Amino acid sequence: MAKSSRPRNFSFTGLFRLTRFPNLLIIALTQYMTALFLTTSTHGLWAIFTHSGLFWLTSSTLMLAAAGYIINDYYDVKIDYINKPERVIVGRILKRRIAMIWQLGLNLAGILIGFFLSPWIGLIHCFSAFTLWLYSNQLKRLPFVGNFSIALLTGVSVLVVAVLFGEKNWLIFTYAYFAFGITLVREIIKDMEDLKGDETFGCKTLPIVWGIRKTKQFVLLLLIVFVASIFYFVFKAKNEVLNTYFMVMIIPAALFILYFLRADTKDKFANLSTFCKLFILSGIISMAFFAAN
């Protein structure tokens, strides 16, 4: 007779999955690419990869992000058993108490490192940690507010690189806004994907309050505003690389909208969420072209 599986004090695999390691890699890549190609303070791979401030900034950002994923899963165990039962870690693979100890430790370490780097970064980290907790505890169950908070933090993870290097330029701001906009759309689409579980436990996300049809209309309005403002920022930056990138992105953006209008199942919304991730990755990769510009 097989032994029943019980949550453990430590599981490397469980912690790896709980903290969304691939997403953490994307955050790290974003910050290093931003520093390498969009700042003027340092030049070359060696200068970037030996920059201790950037290393500690990225490390602390990843700590806060990992803590955010842990607290989110901690609060969402019941919902996740309906929406994504195969992904439940807290209480199934890793003990709830241990998960919270990791969450607290990662948050404290990330905030302390932030203050070590600069008071401003420390305050940004405090704001990020608090917002991630508030999101998991309350905001994600409210219409739009939770979506906006996660999108804002995604943009901040790019802007904080400019704070570290003491730079003010339209390139970094434009990419931060791009990350914000795509993440905002993705978070609303994820709410459409998770409609069943969220509704069961009394959440008030946009798809629950408005229905899928009206939520789609709202997302289309957001996309129109987002695209128009992005081209304004591109104009202000006066950069040919940015101009070319966003012109090329019109084609996949149009395909995305067509697929979005026809999406009506959980799997299709999941595909759209992945599509948004690919948009963000393409934006990160496009930063490399500034080296040759």
Side-chain angles (χ1 to χ4, degrees):
M1 185 174 179
K3 294 182 179 179
S4 60
S5 178
R6 294 182 178 178
R8 288 167 277 177
N9 285 329
F10 180 78
S11 167
F12 180 81
T13 303
L15 200 61
F16 180 90
R17 291 170 57 191
L18 186 60
T19 56
R20 318 288 205 280
F21 189 73
N23 289 359
L24 298 183
L25 287 179
I26 292 175
I27 295 171
L29 179 64
T30 300
Q31 291 194 330
Y32 268 86
M33 292 285 279
T34 300
L36 180 60
F37 297 116
L38 305 187
T39 65
T40 58
S41 303
T42 56
H43 299 281
L45 284 171
W46 181 252
I48 287 296
F49 286 108
T50 57
H51 194 287
S52 60
L54 180 61
F55 171 80
W56 287 113
L57 174 67
T58 300
S59 297
S60 59
T61 302
L62 297 186
M63 290 174 188
L64 297 179
Y69 287 129
I70 293 172
I71 194 67
N72 182 67
D73 281 17
Y74 179 87
Y75 280 114
D76 277 0
V77 168
K78 292 181 180 179
I79 294 176
D80 287 342
Y81 265 116
I82 295 176
N83 289 331
K84 300 162 186 172
E86 74 285 352
R87 296 187 187 180
V88 175
I89 305 297
V90 178
R92 186 169 68 90
I93 295 176
L94 201 64
K95 289 183 178 179
R96 291 170 64 86
R97 175 175 57 86
I98 299 300
M100 289 305 292
I101 289 173
W102 273 100
Q103 185 266 341
L104 180 61
L106 288 167
N107 266 335
L108 287 175
I111 290 170
L112 287 174
I113 292 171
F115 276 111
F116 173 78
L117 291 171
S118 89
W120 281 112
I121 293 176
L123 289 172
I124 290 170
H125 279 2
C126 282
F127 168 77
S128 299
F130 175 74
T131 303
L132 285 169
W133 170 80
L134 191 63
Y135 167 81
S136 300
N137 181 263
Q138 192 174 21
L139 298 183
K140 74 172 296 179
R141 291 161 180 80
L142 301 175
F144 190 70
V145 182
N147 310 131
F148 183 87
S149 64
I150 292 301
L152 179 63
L153 292 180
T154 303
V156 166
S157 70
V158 179
L159 288 177
V160 74
V161 177
V163 175
L164 176 70
F165 289 100
E167 295 209 5
K168 298 176 182 178
N169 71 60
W170 274 98
L171 284 177
I172 295 178
F173 180 81
T174 301
Y175 273 97
Y177 181 73
F178 174 75
F180 163 82
I182 296 296
T183 303
L184 181 58
V185 170
R186 180 172 181 261
E187 287 297 313
I188 297 174
I189 289 172
K190 283 169 62 181
D191 284 345
M192 296 181 191
E193 180 188 353
D194 295 339
L195 177 64
K196 183 179 179 182
D198 291 346
E199 192 170 27
T200 301
F201 288 94
C203 296
K204 300 296 180 182
T205 60
L206 284 179
I208 293 171
V209 175
W210 285 354
I212 294 294
R213 185 166 174 270
K214 285 187 177 179
T215 302
K216 280 187 174 184
Q217 293 172 351
F218 179 68
V219 170
L220 286 175
L221 177 62
L222 282 179
L223 285 169
I224 292 170
V225 173
F226 173 62
V227 170
S229 52
I230 273 288
F231 277 104
Y232 171 76
F233 294 142
V234 170
F235 173 76
K236 291 287 288 184
K238 297 178 181 178
N239 187 284
E240 286 300 318
V241 174
L242 267 185
N243 187 46
T244 302
Y245 170 70
F246 285 112
M247 289 298 291
V248 169
M249 290 302 292
I250 288 176
I251 297 173
L255 293 174
F256 173 86
I257 291 172
L258 287 174
Y259 191 86
F260 174 71
L261 290 173
R262 296 178 180 180
D264 56 2
T265 65
K266 183 182 175 71
D267 288 342
K268 289 180 179 179
F269 288 126
N271 291 338
L272 285 164
S273 178
T274 302
F275 208 148
C276 289
K277 272 191 177 181
L278 294 176
F279 272 125
I280 293 175
L281 278 173
S282 72
I284 296 170
I285 293 169
S286 75
M287 293 179 187
F289 292 95
F290 288 101
N293 191 43

